[in-house]
Amino acid sequence: MTHPYSRRNFLETSLVAGAVLAGAPRFSRAFGARKPALSLSKGGDVSPAPPKPSFPVTDFHVHLSNTLTIDQALQLGKDRGVQIGIVEHPGPGFPINTDADLKKYIDGLRKYPVRIGLQPVYAGWSKSFSKPVLDQLDYILMDALTLPRPDGGWLAIWQIDTMVDDGEEFMARYMPFIEQVLTTEPIDIFGWPTFLPVPIARQYAQLWTPQRVDRIIDLARARKIAIEINEVAHVPDENFIGRAKRAGLKFTFGTDSRNEHAAHLYYCYQMAQKCGLGEGDMFVPKRK
Ligand SMILES: [Zn+2]
């Protein structure tokens, strides 16, 4: 695993493994949604794209890469009427490991009209940085997809070859890690909420019991952590978003893109429409 934390692997592997995914409705829907204006619904008929919300929209989950420069990201945002939020990973194997690295990253983006974020992946990442430098970020987004293994190391649960034998057993490990992220990590946005590995993705409705959903919502509310509506994985579902909205949580839209998919929102707009999200339901970064 040369780039174990790149969500690009998830996308590329997933696209290659299309035949496997055909059996997993969450993902086939996700990739159907990548068509610009039309999407194939379950029955194969074509339905119109959901409308762009009337409030200002930001894609808070854009990674710059060798297939997406800052200028390209800005252009896509302009074309699609969407503000851009850039994130980079800190930690071992990534370019941001010290205050100086982080400062350089922030200063490098300052001259562009973008929000500047960070997407840590390892629990305990914040020990490497001082608060004054972290405070210069617009937001910190973290997911719970890099599960610590009991025997050391990590399980990268977004990868297509993630093995899960038993859904309940998996949840018994996943929930405590989600709780750890939501209670101990200094974050503003919870990314990829309720994502399940491919082998158990179809058990979404059974595994995300009201108790588990409410636990996440309660913890996020206690620390004012916003919920990412994730364009790639189509999570969380409408039920979760509705409950979170009623609990007063805020939301972000995120493509987790490193290419021309930046600012291309379909599932997010669909959920905004179905759940009646308004401007007041959306996350606003600290720095004005
Ligand atoms: Zn990401």
Side-chain angles (χ1 to χ4, degrees):
M1 297 201 298
T2 44
H3 293 289
Y5 298 104
S6 165
R7 298 296 195 276
R8 189 175 48 189
N9 289 359
F10 169 82
L11 276 174
E12 285 172 355
T13 319
S14 303
L15 287 167
V16 169
V20 178
L21 286 166
R26 301 193 68 75
F27 293 99
S28 47
R29 277 210 306 274
F31 292 111
R34 299 213 159 269
K35 291 174 178 59
L38 297 167
S39 160
L40 288 180
S41 71
K42 224 176 185 175
D45 54 319
V46 172
S47 52
K52 184 168 178 284
S54 54
F55 52 82
V57 169
T58 303
D59 178 354
F60 280 104
H61 202 151
V62 175
H63 295 270
L64 299 180
S65 72
N66 52 14
T67 48
L68 188 71
T69 65
I70 182 72
D71 292 320
Q72 287 169 328
L74 285 168
Q75 190 57 50
L76 288 166
K78 214 173 180 183
D79 294 346
R80 293 165 176 167
V82 171
Q83 283 244 46
I84 299 293
I86 302 288
V87 289
E88 180 60 88
H89 300 305
F94 299 112
I96 302 175
N97 285 283
T98 63
D99 269 355
D101 297 337
L102 185 55
K103 190 87 178 62
K104 192 175 152 212
Y105 162 71
I106 295 169
D107 291 345
L109 287 174
R110 237 357 145 217
K111 57 178 175 284
Y112 299 100
V114 292
R115 293 297 187 174
I116 305 169
L118 198 67
Q119 186 191 1
V121 287
Y122 301 103
W125 63 276
S126 61
K127 293 182 197 82
S128 307
F129 306 99
S130 67
K131 197 173 177 301
V133 182
L134 287 174
D135 283 347
Q136 294 175 34
L137 290 160
D138 289 320
Y139 61 97
I140 298 165
L141 180 161
M142 188 171 177
D143 59 51
L145 303 190
T146 310
L147 243 66
R149 289 181 191 273
D151 55 351
W154 287 272
L155 179 67
I157 69 164
W158 69 90
Q159 291 187 341
I160 195 98
D161 56 352
T162 301
M163 304 279 275
V164 180
D165 293 326
D166 183 283
E168 284 298 335
E169 235 168 65
F170 175 81
M171 295 306 283
R173 288 175 58 198
Y174 193 26
M175 276 307 291
F177 184 55
I178 292 172
E179 292 177 7
Q180 181 189 329
V181 168
L182 292 176
T183 55
T184 65
E185 298 292 347
I187 63 171
D188 305 293
I189 302 167
F190 182 42
W192 288 66
T194 72
F195 173 79
L196 291 175
V198 169
I200 55 169
R202 299 176 97 178
Q203 297 171 47
Y204 188 97
Q206 299 97 278
L207 293 176
W208 287 114
T209 60
Q211 289 76 15
R212 285 172 178 149
V213 165
D214 287 346
R215 180 79 179 132
I216 293 177
I217 290 171
D218 288 346
L219 293 177
R221 184 174 48 190
R223 293 181 67 221
K224 292 191 164 46
I225 296 170
I227 297 296
E228 175 179 76
I229 302 178
N230 186 287
E231 185 66 33
V232 183
H234 283 198
V235 289
D237 74 348
E238 190 181 341
N239 170 61
F240 184 104
I241 297 168
R243 283 173 101 97
K245 177 179 148 73
R246 287 191 292 279
L249 295 199
K250 306 293 184 197
F251 299 90
T252 63
F253 298 153
T255 56
D256 203 346
S257 55
R258 297 158 194 277
N259 52 31
E260 73 279 6
H261 295 310
H264 180 252
L265 300 162
Y266 181 100
Y267 179 75
C268 294
Y269 291 172
Q270 193 179 40
M271 286 301 112
Q273 184 182 37
K274 284 192 175 181
C275 302
L277 300 184
E279 188 163 9
D281 297 310
M282 304 311 287
F283 167 78
V284 178
K286 292 168 274 198
R287 195 173 60 92
K288 288 281 180 286

